[in-house]
Amino acid sequence: MHNTTAHLAQLDAQHFIHPFTNSGELAAKGTRIIDRAEGIYIYDTQGQELIDGMAGLWCVNVGYSRQELVDAAMSQMQQLPYYNSFFQCTTPPAIALSEILSEVAPKHINNVFYCNSGSEANDTVLRMARHYWACQGLASKQVIISRHNAYHGSTVAGASLGGMSAMHKQGGLPIPGIEHIDQPYWFGEGFDRDPQVFGKQIALQLEAKIIALGEDKVAAFIAEPIQGAGGVIIPPATYWPEIKRICQQYNILLVCDEVICGFGRTGEWFGSEYFDVEADLMPIAKGLSSGYMPIGGVLTADRVAEVLKTKGGEFNHGFTYSGHPVAAAVALANVNILRNEGIVDKVKAEVGPYFQQQIRKLGDHPLIGEARGVGLLGAFELMADKTAHEFFPDKGRVGTLCRDLAIKNGIVMRHVGSTMVLSPPLVISCGQIDELFARIKLTFDEVAEKVLN
Ligand code: PXG
């Protein structure tokens, strides 16, 4: 019988290889088993209640325990659990989802290609962008420019497009045809300069890279509007306008990876809208179904879709579960909840500003060098000496300590080195934000007690 926590943890250690995990260490420590969730709270098998400050992995936008999503899955399973969208077939939920995505996406985007995750969405981006240029007789436009410390997934193309050096070290990545420029991380890498000057300088690296490679070799630039897994890195205001100009001037596709920023996280439907950028391709996943079912996609601008549809011939790409009817039905119900309940608007007008106010207040804490955020994204930089702009020598150690104390205090926060990040469900209330920040403040006090002299 799989019924005691200790027994489950033992079986887990014996048989389950976890993602992004040192299995030896985990087996020695034992894993936390989450078996129930409601609203913004998750519960482990030992009965601890935690505020899920990360919305799972940046994805449970409408919160846990939404019966409408359960009902959507169940009725679709009863009606038609599976059929594909290959060979000139399709299914009603995939069609309905495509229609509603065209409605909530920016005006210039009215098509979507489906897959099962953000990683697959980015693999699709790579193939679609190159195919788009090849269809127009410009097959030499192959290179995709990305950024150091970007996260675009864990598949071969996703991890190559990403700029995580630890990922590149394993498995012979990145694959050829991908180049990386610097990230617009002012607090970590540009603190000696004015943020707006820094933002523009970093953007200009894109122009320099295109010129160095030759415009005829470059297919696209890919970036998260705000980097998530990299540590909630918000570009200075000068960054995106310059990127926009460069992509237009040199005729390369602009890909905004909306896997985290999409579906309301910034207070707009998409992060690119927050920065007033028109993307040609937008990989989506996570908040598309609020994580209730695995589903991803690539929102495709009219100018790209038009070429693919009229000059593309067959696009030799797709997945067994592209447009899976159950996943599509759940995503459809999820987008309806976001829209009908005005959740995105509420993030923009009410809970987002309140959340940001609480974040900024903690910027005064002796441990915190910078407190930043947009909408319901937030980050805190833990510093050894904030006045001297001195980071801790072992960033991971202090970040882990803070993460563990946060859990003891009843909250899930993720650490990226010594940056603590937050991305709670979008349905969090102002009262719950108070509860969350009381626990964060307590956690920072406890960390400071242990690590500051
Ligand atoms: N793009 C972005 C911007 C992401 O954040 C992916 C693509 C890949 O999506 P899939 O569905 O293939 O995982 C992501 C995923 C973390 C963490 O610890 C972040 C992600 C995934 C797992 C962990 O911050 N982001």
Side-chain angles (χ1 to χ4, degrees):
M1 280 287 281
H2 297 174
N3 55 4
T4 69
T5 298
H7 184 52
L8 284 172
Q10 186 195 348
L11 289 173
D12 185 90
Q14 279 170 353
H15 303 297
F16 186 177
I17 302 172
H18 289 231
F20 282 95
T21 297
N22 178 326
S23 297
E25 254 174 43
L26 180 68
K29 191 175 168 211
T31 182
R32 176 179 309 279
I33 303 166
I34 307 299
D35 74 341
R36 177 166 83 79
E38 203 174 320
I40 65 158
Y41 298 95
I42 58 172
Y43 299 85
D44 70 21
T45 49
Q46 291 178 301
Q48 193 185 0
E49 177 190 275
L50 296 154
I51 296 179
D52 185 2
M54 288 306 298
L57 273 180
W58 325 76
C59 57
V60 187
N61 289 14
V62 300
Y64 298 95
S65 63
R66 290 297 305 233
Q67 188 60 36
E68 300 91 324
L69 301 192
V70 178
D71 293 343
M74 193 161 94
S75 60
Q76 185 56 45
M77 284 231 182
Q78 286 164 338
Q79 173 73 31
L80 175 73
Y82 175 74
Y83 202 71
N84 61 67
S85 45
F86 286 52
F87 313 133
Q88 307 184 352
C89 287
T90 184
T91 64
I95 298 168
L97 180 61
S98 308
E99 183 190 24
I100 201 171
L101 288 175
S102 300
E103 287 166 13
V104 300
K107 277 200 183 57
H108 69 288
I109 294 184
N110 292 286
N111 281 269
V112 57
F113 184 98
Y114 291 113
C115 53
N116 308 288
S117 67
S119 300
E120 287 178 7
N122 282 316
D123 278 52
T124 301
V125 158
L126 180 134
R127 301 198 66 214
M128 196 186 261
R130 290 175 176 174
H131 182 55
Y132 165 80
W133 291 117
C135 290
Q136 299 176 93
L138 295 166
S140 70
K141 281 172 88 67
Q142 291 266 319
V143 177
I144 313 225
I145 301 173
S146 179
R147 309 184 295 187
H148 298 299
N149 200 39
Y151 191 78
H152 297 299
S154 249
T155 48
V156 169
S160 296
L161 289 168
M164 298 291 176
S165 52
M167 293 176 80
H168 291 171
K169 278 189 197 129
Q170 296 173 345
L173 302 180
I175 54 172
I178 293 169
E179 298 277 336
H180 295 86
I181 59 173
D182 286 338
Q183 57 178 337
Y185 180 22
W186 173 74
F187 190 79
E189 297 174 0
F191 199 68
D192 54 336
R193 277 160 279 173
D194 172 79
Q196 301 314 328
V197 171
F198 173 77
K200 188 161 173 182
Q201 284 173 342
I202 294 296
L204 289 173
Q205 286 190 13
L206 176 61
E207 187 163 43
K209 183 63 94 179
I210 296 167
I211 291 168
L213 291 164
E215 184 184 324
D216 61 325
K217 299 285 189 295
V218 182
F221 173 65
I222 182 169
E224 302 150 80
I226 294 170
Q227 284 155 264
V232 180
I233 292 164
I234 306 160
T238 45
Y239 181 78
W240 274 110
E242 201 58 27
I243 294 289
K244 206 159 93 171
R245 174 196 62 84
I246 296 166
C247 290
Q248 276 166 7
Q249 185 172 331
Y250 295 92
N251 196 24
I252 67 166
L253 295 179
L254 175 56
V255 184
C256 287
D257 184 335
E258 297 277 2
V259 169
I260 284 180
C261 292
F263 301 96
R265 181 57 55 197
T266 64
E268 301 290 343
W269 274 89
F270 295 94
S272 48
E273 294 175 297
Y274 177 82
F275 289 108
D276 194 24
V277 168
E278 279 193 12
D280 296 301
L281 299 175
M282 305 203 309
I284 53 173
K286 296 194 190 271
L288 167 59
S289 67
S290 285
Y292 280 58
M293 287 293 285
I295 182 167
V298 178
L299 291 174
T300 307
D302 295 344
R303 80 151 163 147
V304 178
E306 168 78 12
V307 168
L308 297 179
K309 286 181 174 181
T310 59
K311 299 189 185 153
E314 185 169 329
F315 182 33
N316 298 313
H317 180 78
F319 305 97
T320 304
Y321 302 132
S322 286
H324 190 288
V326 179
V330 171
L332 174 64
N334 174 65
V335 175
N336 270 322
I337 289 176
L338 286 170
R339 194 156 72 163
N340 298 343
E341 296 182 7
I343 291 172
V344 182
D345 293 339
K346 238 181 259 173
V347 172
K348 182 173 185 167
E350 189 190 326
V351 285
Y354 188 70
F355 182 79
Q356 294 305 325
Q357 218 179 11
Q358 307 315 307
I359 287 196
R360 299 295 185 290
K361 273 192 204 160
L362 278 174
D364 292 338
H365 195 279
L367 184 67
I368 305 303
E370 187 186 55
R372 60 174 180 264
V374 166
L376 283 180
L377 278 172
F380 303 100
E381 299 277 4
L382 309 184
M383 304 293 279
D385 183 344
K386 63 189 272 186
T387 35
H389 198 73
E390 201 179 291
F391 288 92
F392 287 96
D394 187 347
K395 290 184 176 180
R397 202 186 65 81
V398 71
T400 311
L401 172 72
C402 188
R403 192 262 325 264
D404 291 348
L405 287 171
I407 288 174
K408 173 186 78 68
N409 293 327
I411 38 173
V412 178
M413 287 176 96
R414 172 163 164 18
H415 80 96
V416 179
S418 57
T419 310
M420 301 308 298
V421 298
L422 281 175
S423 167
L426 305 186
V427 294
I428 194 168
S429 68
C430 290
Q432 289 170 331
I433 289 174
D434 288 341
E435 198 182 329
L436 171 67
F437 278 85
R439 297 182 193 189
I440 293 174
K441 162 89 170 49
L442 172 65
T443 303
F444 289 167
D445 289 346
E446 290 178 357
V447 175
E449 177 78 33
K450 286 188 195 302
V451 300
L452 293 185
N453 304 316

